Amino acid sequence: MEYDVIVIGAGQAGGPLAGAFATAGRRTALVEREHVGGTCINEGCTPTKTMVASARVAYLVRRSADYGVQVPAPRVDMRRVRQRKREIVTSFRSGSERRLDAAGVDLVRGDARFSGERTVTVRTDAGDQTLRAPQIFINTGGRPTLPDVPGIESVPWLDSTSIMELDEVPGHLLVVGGGYIGLEFGQMFRRFGAQVTVLQRGRQLLPLEDADIAETITEIMKEDGIKVLLDTQPTRFEAAPGGAIRTTVGRNGESCTIETTHVLFAAGRTPNTDTLDAAAAGIEIDEGGFIRVNERLETSAEGVYAVGDVKGGPAFTHISYDDYRILRTNLLEGGRATTRERMVPYTVFIDPQLGRVGMTETEARKSGRPVRVARMPMSRVARALEMDEPRGVMKAVVDGETDRILGCAVLGIEGGEIMSALQIAMMGGMPYTALRDGVFAHPTLAESFNNLFGSFED
């Protein structure tokens, strides 16, 4: 079948791309083997943040006496938590499907692989279909990585998708990986009532953050009753009596065992390129399995583009969506957009949230430019104290010559929203003094900028 455009994968770039091309009058096929909406709607942002919200309610109920409200201890119904999550996912997914149908996209259900230059063969329930188009867009995303550890095949294990289908709270959850995913699930299930242990093979949680931010997060996790083991990794798994899982871990040259009821692997993701047969179309893949692209998202094969997580780099929904906007601008609107110098904001939905954008202090100092660092604990923010949410710290890195904000990390109540306000100032090229001297409504979290930018350490 001949098309003008073929999109492989209905993620947060692929779906909008297919809809945009179809609306523009291009005959468009969208190939999807599982769910419209990609990781974000089905296994990532939407379901996890829905469950994080349920966990926060349990946390607040337990803390109700702190606010002068006496209520019974919470009883978590994981079946209802799961059902609420499923309902929201179904709602979001069906909305995406309706938009594709309204745009006139041909949705082909099946598994795609390249069978030649700009030619795709799709394995469907009705047999193979061969599709051709002058333009092809790859948005196949990634999947949780399963570590290669002896004995892993002998024990039941969970990943970031299957853990959300549990119908009861684990007795003791071992989380392998101290990154964004591991910490979100670890804190979530601790709040649901599980005992939680987090293993992190590196020296700090969230290894891309500044050490002081990571240390504060570690303190918060421990305060919430989570056991954090740094410089530690699993070396063997085995079944134990009573259905338990015995994990041997190595730390500082020594080993010990931990018995838990459940194990979650949350240490990285693998790109979905292994079944694409990209070489058949002349598409280069790097040593990690990611598709190589340039700043215009072009692959090594003419007319073939890659977007979202499958191309490597920051694996965030908003980056995938921006990839779509770049291609829409260039291919439908005659523009010249690129990925060069785009900001990469993100929020880690632990509680309190970590919102981050721009350079870390470490990166700024390595750049050789003069740097000033503003830092202030959330305990100095009036609104945070009024809400009894004083945990965390605000940190901003400023260029010592231009007074422009280079980056920030906001670990605190609604940290992602506060970070976004700072990002807007960065986008506008505003000096930090505009926020220091600005008049903000009292008492709001944004008012904290007045004091933050009066709190330079150097």
Side-chain angles (χ1 to χ4, degrees):
M1 298 181 67
E2 300 291 336
Y3 284 91
D4 298 314
V5 171
I6 298 171
V7 180
I8 306 174
Q12 294 300 297
L17 266 173
F21 279 114
T23 300
R26 312 281 182 89
R27 190 181 185 205
T28 303
L30 174 59
V31 183
E32 174 54 51
R33 68 182 178 187
E34 195 165 4
H35 299 306
V36 169
T39 297
C40 176
I41 287 179
N42 297 287
E43 294 99 20
C45 314
T46 298
T48 59
K49 279 45 177 182
T50 300
M51 294 180 70
V52 163
S54 294
R56 179 163 169 76
V57 171
Y59 167 73
L60 288 174
V61 171
R62 289 191 182 94
R63 289 191 58 207
S64 62
D66 296 344
Y67 298 89
V69 179
Q70 300 293 334
V71 297
R75 184 184 67 83
V76 175
D77 181 352
M78 283 304 299
R79 291 178 182 271
R80 180 64 191 117
V81 170
R82 182 180 64 184
Q83 184 59 30
R84 176 174 174 270
K85 179 264 299 185
R86 288 176 175 176
E87 289 169 356
I88 293 178
V89 167
T90 299
S91 173
F92 283 23
R93 183 195 303 154
S94 60
S96 297
E97 292 172 344
R98 285 194 299 271
R99 286 189 290 274
L100 291 171
D101 185 61
V105 174
D106 285 354
L107 181 58
V108 182
R109 300 281 187 176
D111 202 357
R113 62 178 176 81
F114 285 95
S115 50
E117 182 179 339
R118 281 174 271 187
T119 304
V120 174
T121 296
V122 184
R123 180 174 297 172
T124 73
D125 291 340
D128 287 357
Q129 295 183 23
T130 298
L131 315 178
R132 295 185 182 86
Q135 289 183 318
I136 297 179
F137 302 86
I138 305 169
N139 184 213
T140 51
R143 62 187 184 275
T145 299
L146 182 64
D148 185 15
V149 179
I152 192 172
E153 72 286 345
S154 66
V155 298
W157 49 266
L158 300 164
D159 60 24
S160 58
T161 300
S162 59
I163 192 170
M164 291 188 289
E165 290 300 308
L166 292 178
D167 60 6
E168 61 181 6
V169 177
H172 186 175
L173 175 66
L174 176 67
V175 180
V176 180
Y180 313 135
I181 297 173
L183 293 188
E184 286 184 8
F185 277 115
Q187 188 184 52
M188 176 199 304
F189 277 93
R190 177 60 187 151
R191 290 180 167 186
F192 285 148
Q195 183 180 346
V196 175
T197 300
V198 174
L199 302 185
Q200 170 67 345
R201 66 179 180 180
R203 296 181 179 179
Q204 66 176 55
L205 299 176
L206 304 183
L208 298 181
E209 305 300 330
D210 284 329
D212 58 334
I213 299 297
E215 288 169 5
T216 305
I217 290 173
T218 302
E219 292 170 4
I220 289 171
M221 293 295 114
K222 290 180 178 179
E223 184 180 284
D224 281 4
I226 297 171
K227 186 174 184 179
V228 178
L229 300 178
L230 303 176
D231 285 318
T232 306
Q233 54 186 340
T235 58
R236 175 172 291 279
F237 293 100
E238 58 184 319
I245 300 170
R246 181 177 295 121
T247 305
T248 303
V249 301
R251 187 182 190 191
N252 299 325
E254 300 180 353
S255 65
C256 64
T257 60
I258 302 172
E259 283 200 10
T260 60
T261 59
H262 296 73
V263 173
L264 166 66
F265 293 117
R269 291 180 66 82
T270 299
N272 290 326
T273 54
D274 46 330
T275 61
L276 273 179
D277 198 6
I283 301 168
E284 292 183 5
I285 293 178
D286 69 16
E287 60 278 3
F290 296 97
I291 296 176
R292 297 183 188 274
V293 298
N294 60 20
E295 63 186 19
R296 293 178 299 279
L297 304 173
E298 298 166 327
T299 72
S300 55
E302 185 178 356
V304 182
Y305 303 77
V307 290
D309 299 356
V310 75
K311 71 182 190 312
F316 301 118
T317 292
H318 43 283
I319 295 301
S320 184
Y321 189 76
D322 191 56
D323 288 348
Y324 147 68
R325 293 191 299 187
I326 288 171
L327 292 179
R328 180 193 62 190
T329 297
N330 295 347
L331 302 179
L332 290 175
E333 299 171 359
R336 298 178 60 83
T338 72
T339 60
R340 189 170 55 246
E341 296 181 357
R342 71 176 167 189
M343 286 189 181
V344 183
Y346 56 87
T347 299
V348 185
F349 286 86
I350 53 176
D351 187 14
Q353 296 172 7
L354 171 64
R356 271 269 295 113
V357 67
M359 303 177 83
T360 63
E361 179 185 356
T362 304
E363 292 169 338
R365 295 197 184 281
K366 283 183 178 179
S367 73
R369 70 184 77 196
V371 172
R372 301 184 70 195
V373 178
R375 190 192 323 262
M376 184 179 73
M378 289 298 294
S379 58
R380 286 186 54 196
V381 179
R383 182 61 177 158
L385 291 171
E386 291 158 0
M387 299 171 69
D388 201 8
E389 296 283 1
R391 300 195 296 179
V393 62
M394 301 177 67
K395 179 179 180 180
V397 182
V398 171
D399 189 302
E401 294 179 344
T402 67
D403 286 346
R404 290 190 174 184
I405 304 167
L406 300 174
C408 72
V410 182
L411 175 63
I413 183 71
E414 298 297 348
E417 306 297 337
I418 304 173
M419 172 275 292
S420 296
L422 286 168
Q423 180 188 353
I424 292 171
M426 294 168 63
M427 292 166 64
M430 295 170 59
Y432 79 87
T433 52
L435 299 179
R436 181 196 65 190
D437 302 332
V439 178
F440 299 94
H442 174 78
T444 62
L445 292 169
E447 185 186 33
S448 61
F449 298 149
N450 294 154
N451 291 334
L452 171 65
F453 289 111
S455 305
F456 284 101
E457 299 180 342
D458 47 2

